[in-house]
Structure formats: structure tokens, C-alpha cells
Amino acid sequence: MDQTSSSTANRILARALASGRGSVFTPSDFLDLAERPAIDQALSRLANNGKLRRLARGLYDLPKVHPRLGPLSPDPDHVARALARETGSKVQIAGARAAHLLGLTTQIPARSDYLTDGPSRRVVLGKRVINLRHASPKHLILPGSAAGTIVQALRHLGPTRADDVVRIAARSLPAAEKKKLSASGRQAPAWMRPMLLTIAAVEFDSR
């Protein structure tokens, strides 16, 4: 490895280490360090040397390591955010994963679904599938926020379990996130709007 290539690899590794174990990256995260071909070459060498792990084409991580199990699987949310950063997109947890994070389903979904205003992409990591689906603005409300996760949980579970979502959200959602729900209620489907206002009202009434 020549001196320039070595310097690029060292700077990439230093940034990865500074981000902490469990961080996920794409080449675009390092384009301020060198030109794209040099970044790709350095990432490939770091993966071949075991410094970073190649998860899929153009996707790498610095895995957390369990003392007995060895390298652990990446957090799906970190993968989704890395893919979104690559295209300058927003991303939001959706579907069964949103409901699971609220404790409304006990089964961990094998597929992690996300909505994005960027391009759709599907990544298979062992037995887990991470699926980013392009969505229109009306389906992507408050992306990247806890309030947005509430909206997606409501959408996934539907009106029949809306009361469960409202109860949990009213108790656990921070005040700032409740205000976001109140302000964004007009973007939600008609059946969902009263639920969002009910969640927000808990904070307003406690003042």
C-alpha cells in the first residue's frame, strides 16, 4: 500500500473508531477525505484486513464484539440511516418494527421496514432483511423522530389497536414530540388525526 493509500485508510479507520463500535458507513461518509476511487480502495483493504466489516456492496461497519459470540449483527436503524445519508434522504421506522419498539408486539420482525423520501433499497444481512421503501410526503410524516414512529405504529396496527398506541405514546413521548404530532396532524389520515391530538393534549393539559 503506497503512502497516500495508507493515509486515506488510516483516516477512514480513525473516523470509524471515533464514531464507536456499531457504527455503519457507506463510501459517501468519507468523501471529504479523498476521491471516490481512493475511498473505495481504502475501504476494501480495511475490510480485507479485518479492520472494518463489509456488510453488502458499498456498506461497511465497525461491529460490536461480544466476548463469547464474536462480532454482532448491526443495528438495522444504523444501517437504514447510513443508506439514507448516502443519498441525502430522510428515513423513518415503519411497520411491525415501529409497533415492536413501542412494546405493542413481542415478536421481533425478521424484516425491518423503513419509509424514505429517497430511492428504495433492500439489503439482506444473514436472516434479516432491511427494506427502505420510497414513500410520498403524505406517508412520511415527521421522519427520523419518535413522533414519526408513533404515526407509523398507528398506521401499521390500524384503528382497532389505536387506543393501545395512544395510551403508550401519551405516557412515554416527550413533550416536544407531542407538539410535533399536534402540528402535523393535518398530514395524517382522517381516522388518525383525533388520536394524534389526544396524545398531544396530555402534555397541554399538564401545564
Side-chain angles (χ1 to χ4, degrees), residues 38-108:
I39 295 297
D40 288 339
Q41 186 178 52
L43 285 169
S44 180
R45 287 174 173 171
L46 287 168
N48 291 338
N49 292 336
K51 302 293 186 181
L52 295 178
R53 177 172 59 179
R54 182 185 291 106
L55 298 172
R57 183 178 180 182
L59 189 65
Y60 300 83
D61 78 335
L62 181 66
K64 292 183 178 179
V65 180
H66 188 278
R68 288 188 292 106
L69 302 177
L72 301 178
S73 298
D75 186 318
D77 294 348
H78 293 174
V79 174
R81 286 196 288 267
L83 295 174
R85 285 197 309 273
E86 186 177 29
T87 56
S89 308
K90 297 175 182 177
V91 68
Q92 175 60 52
I93 298 167
R97 183 165 172 78
H100 177 74
L101 288 176
L102 295 177
L104 293 167
T105 59
T106 56
Q107 185 175 2
I108 301 175

Side-chain angles (χ1 to χ4, degrees), residues 64 95 124 144 207:
K64 292 183 178 179
V124 179
R207 291 179 179 179

